[in-house]
């Protein structure tokens, strides 16, 4: 049995015993079910242990005791309830950027079931040419491929929709604390917990596919952030006070993303405005907004169904579909 086959067998054992923690399985039964040799089951079970799974193994029995802290496809799949998004999960240990891999995979035949995740990124990208600090084992780095049948002008709403799916996901870990800083930062206690990077790929001036990337700070301790980020970033663990299962969180985000995306395709964000307004950290604030080389200052008063921010500038309403916001005054 080669390494690839061994890994596949380890995965299959997991699928079988993962659902019933603490239950003792006869190795001979597992071998029969997986059409394998008992010797290979032993070898594959040892592989599972090296992945961090709590597996009790004797000559004739195997028991699943506890899960591993891993963002593997098998682990995410265990919690995934989607119909399409993420049904083709590809999980890496280390990549430069999951957005780049997603775009390469999408190629000429983009498929909405493909999601790329990685344990770490060596060149994680943020918005506006910034980098995204992506250390191993503590974050979740996820890229989703979608092929929305919408015109280019409507695309900025996709980032807002993704931020909404993320906010909804985090809400269940720390109710009442999550905010969205339009268009695509998710904050807790005014510090950034996740960011969205949406990249459009066009063909003949139409959307061919979109890669929606999200980086989530899940289990970072303050010292896991570089000094210059410590004041501005936080992690779910720091807020909740305990370590969070990254695979479960990733699956929950994908479950929520699929729901929001379905709604978005029907009627953009029309049905989500109430929730968006409630999550917004900007409404009612005096802000400065930089969009390209334009700079405007005014009061953020609303978000519309395209995901655009409505700002009152010198008594006039201005609609902006994207940009970098700084809050000037807090009431
Ligand atoms: C931002 O706030 O500037 C956006 C950050 C987006 C980071 C994610 S991590 C997964 C995906 N791959 C990347 O290289 N970037 C996005």
């Amino acid at each position: 049995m080669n390494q690839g086959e061994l890994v596949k067998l380890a995965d299959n054992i997991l699928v079988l015993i993962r659902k019933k923690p603490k239950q003792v399985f006869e190795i001979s039964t597992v071998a029969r079910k997986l059409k394998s040799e008992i010797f290979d089951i032993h070898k594959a079970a040892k592989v599972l242990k090296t992945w961090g799974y709590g597996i009790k193994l004797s000559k004739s029995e195997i028991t699943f005791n506890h899960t591993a802290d891993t963002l593997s496809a098998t682990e995410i799949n265990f919690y995934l309830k989607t119909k399409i998004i993420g049904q083709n999960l590809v999980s890496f240990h280390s990549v430069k950027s999951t957005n780049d891999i997603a775009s390469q995979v999408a190629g000429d035949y983009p498929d909405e079931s493909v999601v790329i995740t990685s344990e770490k990124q060596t060149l994680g990208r943020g918005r506006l040419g910034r980098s995204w600090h992506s250390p191993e084992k503590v974050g979740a780095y996820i890229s989703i491929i979608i092929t929305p049948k919408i015109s280019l002008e409507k695309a900025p709403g996709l980032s807002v929709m993704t931020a909404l799916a993320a906010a909804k996901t985090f809400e269940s870990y720390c109710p009442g604390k999550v905010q969205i800083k339009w268009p695509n930062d998710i904050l807790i206690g005014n510090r950034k917990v996740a960011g969205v990077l949406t990249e459009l790929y066009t063909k003949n001036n139409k959307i061919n596919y979109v890669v929606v990337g999200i980086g989530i700070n899940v289990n970072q301790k303050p010292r896991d952030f570089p000094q210059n980020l410590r004041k501005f970033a936080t992690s779910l663990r720091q807020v909740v006070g305990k370590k969070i299962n990254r695979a479960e969180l990733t699956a929950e985000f994908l479950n929520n993303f699929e729901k929001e995306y379905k709604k978005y395709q029907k009627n953009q964000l029309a049905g989500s405005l109430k929730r968006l307004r409630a999550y917004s950290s900007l409404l009612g604030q005096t802000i400065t907004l930089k969009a390209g080389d334009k700079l405007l200052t005014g009061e953020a008063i609303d978000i519309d169904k395209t995901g655009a921010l409505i700002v009152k500038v010198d008594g006039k309403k201005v609609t902006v579909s994207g940009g970098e916001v700084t809050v000037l005054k807090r009431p």
Side-chain angles (χ1 to χ4, degrees), residues 10-65:
D11 253 340
N12 288 339
I13 296 175
L14 205 53
V15 171
L16 203 70
I17 66 174
R18 171 88 173 71
K19 283 176 268 184
K20 295 184 177 147
K22 311 280 179 208
Q23 180 173 316
V24 179
F25 288 84
E26 293 288 333
I27 292 196
S28 54
T29 315
V30 174
R32 198 169 353 99
K33 281 198 175 145
L34 299 179
K35 297 188 174 59
S36 303
E37 301 294 327
I38 288 182
F39 174 74
D40 288 331
I41 300 289
H42 270 274
K43 259 171 92 177
K46 282 178 193 148
V47 170
L48 285 177
K49 284 187 177 185
T50 67
W51 291 350
Y53 284 98
I55 303 281
K56 192 169 167 225
L57 189 65
S58 73
K59 213 168 163 203
S60 57
E61 291 169 347
I62 180 166
T63 310
F64 179 88
N65 276 339

Side-chain angles (χ1 to χ4, degrees), residues 96-100 121 123-128 130-132 134 140-143 184-185 192 194-197 213-216:
K96 282 185 182 164
S97 155
T98 52
N99 265 30
D100 292 349
Q121 298 185 115
L123 274 177
R125 290 188 283 112
R127 289 174 70 226
L128 309 164
R130 297 185 187 127
S131 62
W132 183 258
S134 312
Y141 317 109
I142 309 163
S143 295
N184 42 10
D185 288 350
K192 187 153 162 173
V196 177
L197 175 68
I214 181 165
I216 310 173

Side-chain angles (χ1 to χ4, degrees), residues 145-320:
I145 297 167
I146 48 172
T147 56
K149 307 282 172 279
I150 54 171
S151 57
L152 270 174
E153 315 79 73
K154 287 186 179 159
L158 291 169
S159 295
V160 180
M161 174 208 88
T162 306
L164 187 60
K168 194 173 160 196
T169 308
F170 305 161
E171 184 73 28
S172 62
Y173 292 83
C174 43
K177 294 189 174 165
V178 186
Q179 288 194 303
I180 296 174
K181 182 179 171 219
W182 180 92
N184 42 10
D185 288 350
I186 300 96
L187 311 180
I188 299 180
N190 232 9
R191 289 170 186 233
K192 187 153 162 173
V193 73
V196 177
L197 175 68
T198 305
E199 296 180 309
L200 299 187
Y201 293 82
T202 56
K203 213 183 204 173
N204 306 326
N205 234 8
K206 286 194 180 117
I207 292 180
N208 182 16
Y209 62 88
V210 181
V211 174
V212 181
I214 181 165
I216 310 173
N217 300 329
V218 188
N219 283 326
Q220 279 94 336
K221 294 183 179 154
R223 65 175 146 80
D224 293 323
F225 292 109
Q227 188 72 44
N228 61 327
L229 292 183
R230 258 171 233 173
K231 262 210 225 136
F232 308 103
T234 190
S235 71
L236 284 169
R237 179 188 191 161
Q238 284 177 52
V239 180
V240 177
K242 64 173 198 263
K243 211 171 160 189
I244 282 160
N245 182 325
R246 290 177 304 135
E248 187 175 6
L249 177 83
T250 300
E252 282 168 0
F253 165 69
L254 294 173
N255 295 339
N256 283 321
F257 181 92
E258 184 167 274
K259 282 189 204 146
E260 296 301 332
Y261 181 45
K262 248 191 208 155
K263 280 192 220 161
Y264 181 87
Q265 283 172 305
K266 280 198 194 124
N267 206 357
Q268 294 174 266
L269 295 161
S272 313
L273 290 178
K274 213 172 143 191
R275 282 184 302 144
L276 268 174
R277 288 179 187 127
Y279 278 129
S280 174
S281 70
L282 295 186
L283 298 187
Q285 308 272 17
T286 303
I287 60 164
T288 285
L289 201 147
K290 192 169 176 280
D293 48 12
K294 282 196 196 117
L295 202 67
L296 59 86
T297 298
E299 187 195 347
I301 55 171
D302 206 358
I303 295 172
D304 73 13
K305 73 166 192 172
T306 70
L309 187 70
I310 302 171
V311 189
K312 206 166 166 191
V313 185
D314 297 332
K316 272 196 217 131
K317 283 184 187 174
V318 182
T319 304
V320 208

Side-chain angles (χ1 to χ4, degrees), residues 62-75:
I62 180 166
T63 310
F64 179 88
N65 276 339
H66 67 78
T67 184
D69 181 11
T70 164
L71 213 54
S72 69
T74 314
E75 207 49 35

